[in-house]
Every structure is written in structure tokens, then in C-alpha cells.
Amino acid sequence: MSAAMAQTNTPSNPPPNPPHPAPQPVNGLLMLLELQRQAWRMATAAELRYHIVNQTRRMIQYRQAAFLTLPGRGRPVLEAVSNIAVLEPNTPFGQWLADAVRAVAAGPEGNSVHVVDPAALPAAVRAEWGEWGPAQVLWCPLRKPESTPEPLPGARAPATPAAPPPAGLWLGRDEPWTDGEILLLGHLAEGYGHAWWALAGKRPRRHGLRRAALPLVLLLLAGGGLAIPVPMSTLAPAEIQTSDPVIVAAPLDGVIERFHVQPNAVVTAGQPLFSFDATVLRSRFEVARKGLTQAEAELLTASQAAFADPQTKARVAQLRAQVELRRAELALARDLLERVTVKADRAGIAVFTDVNDWLGKPVAVGERVLTIADPQAPEIDIMVPVGDALVLESGSPVELFLNVDPLHPLQARLTRASYEAGLSPAGVLSYRVKATLEPAAQAGQEPGPPPRIGLRGTAKILGDRVPLALYLFRRPLALLRQGLGV
């Protein structure tokens, strides 16, 4: 139980041996002073971030804490998460949290400590709250020291909108937040804000401008060039696939005897695709048919003898059940025999590797044999490595450079991306991304047939504009950060 919980009302007659006695309010104040003193003694911004997300739990209990910086323009940056040593801000959770914090910081209560209301967030963030967001979230902005003087008593404050805080603390847990906890965290957030501004908000003064004029000008020119905004992009292997494939699976256990189509052949609805060896099924059908005939004969004999023999009359019901059983076995054998030849459910292209890979091969029920693809509805299947994952937002532009025609890229739009990474055919941990080709007229190209299903190439996904320095040194910075642990 946190120290701030001591401010809540307790029963007048507590039990003689409470399992967790509530601390006194003075303990919460002492812990508040201790956490502020430790924060002011931190030497680096990384140490301060670690202290904020992990040591605050000594005063207030929570399940997860996240520290984010809020630049003046652009998305918030996830800097630290409690109980995590190596941080990956490009994960789906990091992207969702950045969108949520940007909406909370831009709201009317963005500069005050308050409980986040999911109903006030954008629809995209609110739709994924149940997957990523805890039940109760408290937003604690870390404001920088105010430079404007406080208004005199009775004077009216200027009606200027408050700027968003440079950083903030996102606290989540399942229990509701009490007024005492919010009050303590408000005072603690002010202390954290001063400490963070002292380490990361100030800029060193420049001395000796006249003596280092030329190097400074060159440095400014180089910095200006590296600050040129360019679209962030990533390259990933891609393949043309159909957007709505029909999977043709084996309807029964058996051995494929013959293929009626060739790979990539055009098929029509109802056309035979392949057939199973029907020797065993025909034998089963004949055995079931003869068994039914025998059971019907026995039932007829017993029915005629039942008029004279009461004992035979008792066997009529049993023989009638045997007849029904034989009829069910015959119907099953007939149904399996009708499934020997598999036919196409719709028109399209039969996509599989080679006929010889399946002839004589035993297959099980439900095993995938081939796919019927619609050549008029292609889409791009992209495997983006985890290390190159950008902000994969729906609607991002995509350029596909096919291996057969690399000089004429195809224009597309990103439609969806998987939240969970998996192994690609090359054995690389990647996110699966789908993109839809744009019409030729809309992309400024000459009309023509859609690309053939199965073509491979390289896809270039374009993201938000970032400085040229980040575009060039993103990988080295990520490796350096992972190696140094900051």
C-alpha cells in the first residue's frame, strides 16, 4: 500500500491485526522530500529517467510507468519504461502510447496532473485502449520553471494558451487513484520537472564567437544541411499476392493420383483440379452396399417370422437399427467417393509449385494443396525487419520496385500491418505488411494489366519527414544506444 493511501478514510474500529497497516501522512511527505532530493542529485538525464520510472513506486504503487519527452512539433518520444532495460520505441505499444500522450498533452488539462479519461481521446487511440492501456491512468506533466512572474493579487492573468510540457510521466494501474495520491504526485512532478529541465532543458552558452567564427559558420552550415527534412523510409522484400485467395485443401485422407491443371493455369468455377486414388474408397462403398443389402434381407426375414414367433419379433427393432447403421455407412462411403475429384469453387489462377511434388504423396484432411488467386485483385505482401520498422501507419505511401522492371516502380498505399512479429521465409524476425496498388491513372502511369501474381521485388515504405541527420545516422545511433544502455 502506498504512502498516499494514508489520506483516505479508515474505519473507526479497525481489526485487531490488519494485514497491511496504513502509513501515516508524514511518511508520504518524507518520501516525497527524499525522492526530490535524489532526483536533484542525478548527474545525467538517463539516470534521472531511470529514477523517475522506477523509484517513484516507493511512494505511490503502480503497475507501469513510462517517461516521454514532448517536442514542440512531432510525435512524443518514449524514453524509459519501468522494469525495462533495453527500450524499443518502435513497437506497436510505443506507437500507441505516443499517440495517446500527444492527445492528452494537447488537451485542456495537459499541463496538470489528472486521471486520463479514455472517452476524451481520439477514436483510433480509444479503440486500442483495452489492448495497451491499463484500467486507471494518471498523467503527470513535468513542466519547466516558469519565467513569467506571478500576477499580483486582484490582477487578471493574460489569456495566452499554456505551452505543452517538455516531458511527462504516464502511470498506470488497476486501482482508482485517490485525491491524496494525486496531490503528492503533483508536488513530486514539479520537483521532477525542475530536475529534468536542469539536465536536459538548458543550453550551454557560446563563448569566443569571434575567435572561432569560421569553424562555427561551417558547423552551422553542416548542421543546417543535416536538419533538412527528408521522408523517413525503409526497404523490405516484397511479393505480389492476391488480396482474397481461396485455399484448396484436401477433403479426405488419401493419395493424390492425378492433377487436371498445371501451375499458374487459368481455371473456371467447377473445373476439376486434382483427384485422389479411389481404389480403397470404391471397395469401402461396395462393402457398405452389400452390408446394407444383407441387413435389409435379415430385417425382412425377421419381420415375416415375427407373426408366428414372439422371440423373433423382439429382434425386429435391433435389425432395423442395423439397417439404419448400414445406410449411414453407405452414405459416408458415397460422400467420400464423390470427393475423390476436387473442383474449383471460383474462377482464377491455380497457384502451386509443381505437379510432381504431389503425385503419389499421401495427404491428410485439411492439408493445403494449392491456392486459387484472382489476378485482377493483387496486393503487395511486405516483410519489414524489426530493426527497420518505422511508424507503419495506414495510408503511408509505398513504392514497389519489381525485379523484372526495377526502373518503373509501382505506387501503392499501406493498408495494414501486423502487431506481432514473426519469422520471414529468410528466417528474419519481421512484421508482415499489406499494401494495395493504386490505379494507374491515379499514380500517373499508363493503364495496363496488373502485375502477375508471384513477382518479387523490393518495397520502399515512406514515413513522416525527419531531419537528414536522423535518416543517415539512425542505425548507428540505435547500435550506440543499445551498446551504452542509454
Side-chain angles (χ1 to χ4, degrees), residues 75 89-92 95-96 99 128 232-236 382-398 414-421 430-434 459-464:
R75 296 167 56 87
N90 290 329
T91 58
Q95 299 173 17
W96 175 85
D99 294 337
E128 300 180 3
M232 179 65 79
S233 62
T234 184
L235 300 177
I382 311 171
M383 300 299 295
V384 181
V386 173
D388 295 334
L390 301 175
V391 182
L392 301 176
E393 296 181 352
S394 178
S396 300
V398 178
L414 192 148
T415 55
R416 61 186 183 277
S418 63
Y419 285 104
E420 184 177 0
S430 308
Y431 292 104
R432 182 175 293 274
V433 178
K434 298 292 185 179
K460 181 179 182 181
I461 304 176
L462 302 177
D464 297 334

Side-chain angles (χ1 to χ4, degrees), residues 7 39 69 119 162 213 224 248 278 342 397 402 468 472:
Q7 299 181 1
T69 56
V248 180
V342 180
L402 294 175
L468 179 61
L472 295 177

Side-chain angles (χ1 to χ4, degrees), residues 156-172:
R156 186 175 182 181
T160 56
L169 183 61
W170 177 279
L171 298 175

Side-chain angles (χ1 to χ4, degrees), residues 161-231:
L169 183 61
W170 177 279
L171 298 175
R173 70 181 188 184
D174 298 329
E175 298 81 10
W177 300 94
T178 63
D179 295 338
E181 293 174 331
I182 296 176
L183 180 61
L184 285 177
L185 286 173
H187 289 284
L188 185 60
E190 292 184 4
Y192 283 164
H194 283 72
W196 176 254
W197 177 254
L199 292 177
K202 295 182 178 180
R203 297 293 182 268
R205 297 181 179 179
R206 299 176 180 175
H207 302 281
L209 181 59
R210 296 180 179 179
R211 300 174 57 183
L214 183 59
L216 182 59
V217 171
L218 296 178
L219 181 61
L220 290 177
L221 292 177
L226 293 177
I228 297 175
V230 295

Side-chain angles (χ1 to χ4, degrees), residues 180-351:
E181 293 174 331
I182 296 176
L183 180 61
L184 285 177
L185 286 173
H187 289 284
L188 185 60
E190 292 184 4
Y192 283 164
H194 283 72
W196 176 254
W197 177 254
L199 292 177
K202 295 182 178 180
R203 297 293 182 268
R205 297 181 179 179
R206 299 176 180 175
H207 302 281
L209 181 59
R210 296 180 179 179
R211 300 174 57 183
L214 183 59
L216 182 59
V217 171
L218 296 178
L219 181 61
L220 290 177
L221 292 177
L226 293 177
I228 297 175
V230 295
M232 179 65 79
S233 62
T234 184
L235 300 177
E239 180 183 359
I240 297 293
Q241 294 183 354
T242 182
S243 60
D244 188 18
V246 175
I247 306 300
V248 180
L252 50 87
D253 296 333
V255 177
I256 296 180
E257 181 183 28
R258 179 185 176 186
F259 258 88
H260 303 282
V261 295
Q262 296 297 322
N264 299 330
V266 179
V267 298
T268 59
Q271 179 178 347
L273 300 176
F274 57 90
S275 300
F276 287 87
D277 185 5
T279 304
V280 177
L281 297 178
R282 290 194 185 95
S283 301
R284 184 183 300 178
F285 177 78
E286 291 297 329
V287 171
R289 186 175 61 82
K290 293 181 179 179
L292 176 60
T293 303
Q294 181 181 358
E296 289 177 345
E298 292 179 356
L299 176 61
L300 179 60
T301 303
S303 299
Q304 294 176 354
F307 292 99
D309 188 0
Q311 295 181 354
T312 306
K313 185 178 181 180
R315 295 183 59 249
V316 171
Q318 180 180 1
L319 294 175
R320 186 175 291 108
Q322 290 290 335
V323 170
E324 296 297 331
L325 176 62
R326 297 302 181 183
R327 287 177 179 172
E329 293 177 351
L330 180 62
L332 175 61
R334 183 184 294 108
D335 182 63
L336 293 177
L337 193 60
E338 293 176 354
R339 298 183 185 180
V340 167
T341 300
V342 180
K343 300 180 181 180
D345 294 337
R346 75 174 189 186
I349 296 178
V351 180

Side-chain angles (χ1 to χ4, degrees), residues 14 27 73 88 103-104 154 160 182 245 312 315 375 400 408 426 452 463 478:
N27 295 335
R73 296 179 179 178
E88 180 57 46
V104 172
T160 56
I182 296 176
T312 306
R315 295 183 59 249
L400 176 61
H408 299 86
R452 184 175 62 86

